Amino acid sequence: MAENTYPDLVIVGAGLFGLTVAQQAVEHLGVKVEIIDVRDHIGGNAYSYVDEETGAEIHKYGAHLFHTSNKRVWDYVNRFTEFTDYVHRVYATHNGEVYPLPTNLGTINQFFRAHYTPAEAKALIAEQAGELAGTDPQNLNDKGIQLIGRPLYEAFIKNYTAKQWQTDPSELPADIIKRLPVRYNYDNRYFKDTWEGLPKDGYTKWMERMIDDPRIHVTLGVDFFDESQPFNKKALLAAGVPVVYTGPVDRYFDYELGDLKWRTVDFKEVRYDEDDHFGCPVMNFSDADVPYTRAIEFKNFNPERYDQQNHEKTVVWEEYSRFAERGDEPYYPVNTDADKELYARYAEKAAAEPKVVFGGRLGTYKYYDMHNVIDTALTAYEEQVEPLLKK
């Protein structure tokens, strides 16, 4: 491909970061943008599709729930989709009984078969934190006890976390659960953000609208590192084409400093000949004898679609967590001190790439919710991408 036939900007990865940058570049500068993705769909991990048998919208890479308190992000996403009034609530099965999460006064009173007032419950939790009350523990096990007391921690957090990380919680850093909420009222809403909901006609429709512009072209099933296709790393760097890269940062540098560690998730699909199996969208399984961490019943995310759903069948995905290997889908950065130090070295190399902007979860080795991805993409466009395109 001759140099003058390249687009003005190539974006590697059709997830929310890449789509937001593409949309902004076209809107503000009128440039031509090529988006490539190794997958066969846009949307990154937020991609969803409709299950033909049940009518449920399946979130292909696990439950995606939109919530934010950032008005800039909320105003931006509402340009491309309306949202339902869905409010996320989670339940947990422990010893054959179902409890509401996060830990709230309902959880506490049900667990202790009591009718504590908020003040009494607060005093109880402080007492059950024992010698850890008022301290600042550095491992997850002690931090959990300090936050919600030993009985509740051991019932709802300890085994769940051990399954999620395949590591004893005493060997995990405390900051994994530094925001573990305890509510001394009956509020069982999972998120505390100002705005919350699900896109009315699905995630994929939302993201298709973001790039519905003739100046944006998408090529799927294309590997950035495959030199047999035109939009490859070597050719683009040689031609001086600005690139937004949202793939794994260690992969970009051919793992030359070593591999960053991730957790991944495997899903096992189970179908039931019934309308509703759990009665909620997400059921956690807190006990060690259940091998999966939680189950997602997708139909229950969208009760407003009742008339489009099959009420004799439902589909559930059981979620299993493990350490990722090369070739797996990376979900959660492990973020040990060694990983952070390694990422800092990769970040130095990334900063030295004059025409490449690194973004998204994989490109910056961070765990982001969707609203964080969009916010960082809007900022990256303003501060990094637009200056590159104006040169």
Side-chain angles (χ1 to χ4, degrees):
M1 180 177 287
E3 182 178 338
N4 62 5
T5 64
Y6 280 117
D8 302 299
L9 175 67
V10 172
I11 295 176
V12 183
L16 274 171
F17 190 97
L19 299 183
T20 301
V21 170
Q23 187 278 325
Q24 289 283 283
V26 166
E27 178 171 274
H28 293 290
L29 297 178
V31 295
K32 290 186 177 178
V33 179
E34 177 75 31
I35 303 174
I36 65 169
D37 200 300
V38 73
R39 291 172 171 173
D40 63 359
H41 59 75
I42 67 165
N45 282 11
Y47 169 75
S48 66
Y49 61 93
V50 174
D51 177 64
E52 290 186 8
E53 184 182 45
T54 63
E57 181 184 345
I58 305 292
H59 304 182
K60 181 177 172 69
Y61 302 93
H64 276 67
L65 309 159
F66 194 82
H67 56 96
T68 188
S69 295
N70 184 323
K71 188 172 188 304
R72 172 172 80 152
V73 170
W74 183 243
D75 289 345
Y76 180 75
V77 298
N78 273 272
R79 294 176 54 189
F80 308 105
T81 184
E82 293 181 71
F83 287 85
T84 68
D85 57 4
Y86 175 81
V87 174
H88 191 48
R89 292 183 169 89
V90 172
Y91 296 87
T93 298
H94 166 63
N95 279 351
E97 191 169 345
V98 175
Y99 296 83
L101 290 181
T103 302
N104 60 73
L105 197 54
T107 319
I108 294 166
N109 278 330
Q110 182 181 346
F111 187 81
F112 292 108
R113 300 293 188 265
H115 50 88
Y116 294 117
T117 65
E120 290 168 341
K122 200 172 289 188
L124 174 74
I125 297 303
E127 177 188 329
Q128 291 178 341
E131 71 279 4
L132 293 167
T135 65
D136 186 24
Q138 298 306 298
N139 73 72
L140 188 152
N141 191 77
D142 291 354
K143 185 68 174 177
I145 295 169
Q146 184 241 335
L147 287 170
I148 63 172
R150 188 178 296 274
L152 289 166
Y153 165 75
E154 292 187 346
F156 297 111
I157 307 299
K158 182 177 182 178
N159 293 318
Y160 184 93
T161 303
K163 289 190 289 187
Q164 190 173 27
W165 290 89
Q166 293 177 299
T167 304
D168 189 288
S170 64
E171 298 173 19
L172 291 168
D175 62 8
I176 291 175
I177 58 163
K178 64 186 173 186
R179 294 185 303 273
L180 185 68
V182 186
R183 297 181 188 147
Y184 295 103
N185 57 28
Y186 291 95
D187 178 11
N188 69 336
R189 180 181 166 189
Y190 195 79
F191 302 117
K192 296 294 283 183
D193 283 302
T194 308
W195 299 285
E196 178 178 358
L198 295 168
K200 278 193 175 178
D201 51 2
Y203 280 103
T204 301
K205 292 285 188 188
W206 162 16
M207 289 176 284
E208 285 172 349
R209 289 189 199 105
M210 290 179 71
I211 54 170
D212 184 14
D213 188 293
R215 294 164 294 188
I216 298 175
H217 185 263
V218 180
T219 306
L220 299 172
V222 170
D223 186 345
F224 180 56
F225 303 99
D226 175 8
E227 293 182 10
S228 71
Q229 60 86 20
F231 302 107
N232 68 77
K233 176 186 171 184
K234 184 178 179 181
L236 293 172
L237 292 184
V241 178
V243 171
V244 172
Y245 176 79
T246 69
V249 62
D250 51 358
R251 174 71 184 94
Y252 182 91
F253 295 105
D254 201 25
Y255 307 104
E256 63 183 65
L257 302 177
D259 290 44
L260 290 163
K261 301 296 188 292
W262 293 82
R263 304 285 303 164
T264 191
V265 176
D266 296 319
F267 299 101
K268 179 185 176 185
E269 183 176 282
V270 185
R271 292 179 180 264
Y272 296 95
D273 294 329
E274 53 191 293
D275 182 23
D276 191 350
H277 187 69
F278 285 115
C280 63
V282 178
M283 179 67 74
N284 285 8
F285 289 87
S286 303
D287 301 333
D289 61 351
V290 178
Y292 45 94
T293 53
R294 62 181 184 170
I296 305 165
E297 188 164 9
F298 291 102
K299 183 188 285 187
N300 289 327
F301 284 127
N302 299 101
E304 78 283 356
R305 298 180 190 167
Y306 184 88
D307 292 342
Q308 289 101 57
Q309 294 173 346
N310 177 354
H311 299 288
E312 296 179 358
K313 302 271 187 182
T314 190
V315 58
V316 168
W317 282 18
E318 297 167 354
E319 192 169 304
Y320 299 78
S321 179
R322 62 179 171 83
F323 284 101
E325 300 175 2
R326 283 193 197 176
D328 288 330
E329 295 290 354
Y331 277 75
Y332 307 104
V334 174
N335 257 338
T336 62
D337 288 343
D339 287 310
K340 290 175 184 174
E341 188 274 333
L342 178 58
Y343 171 66
R345 292 167 63 204
Y346 274 122
E348 280 185 25
K349 292 177 70 66
E353 294 281 307
K355 289 206 170 185
V356 184
V357 174
F358 292 77
R361 290 179 314 114
L362 305 181
T364 58
Y365 195 63
K366 287 185 177 65
Y367 178 72
Y368 283 132
D369 287 328
M370 286 181 284
H371 66 105
N372 301 128
V373 172
I374 293 165
D375 188 47
T376 56
L378 291 170
T379 299
Y381 173 75
E382 292 168 357
E383 296 182 357
Q384 297 174 269
V385 180
E386 187 169 284
L388 260 184
L389 294 173
K390 283 183 170 178
K391 280 184 179 177

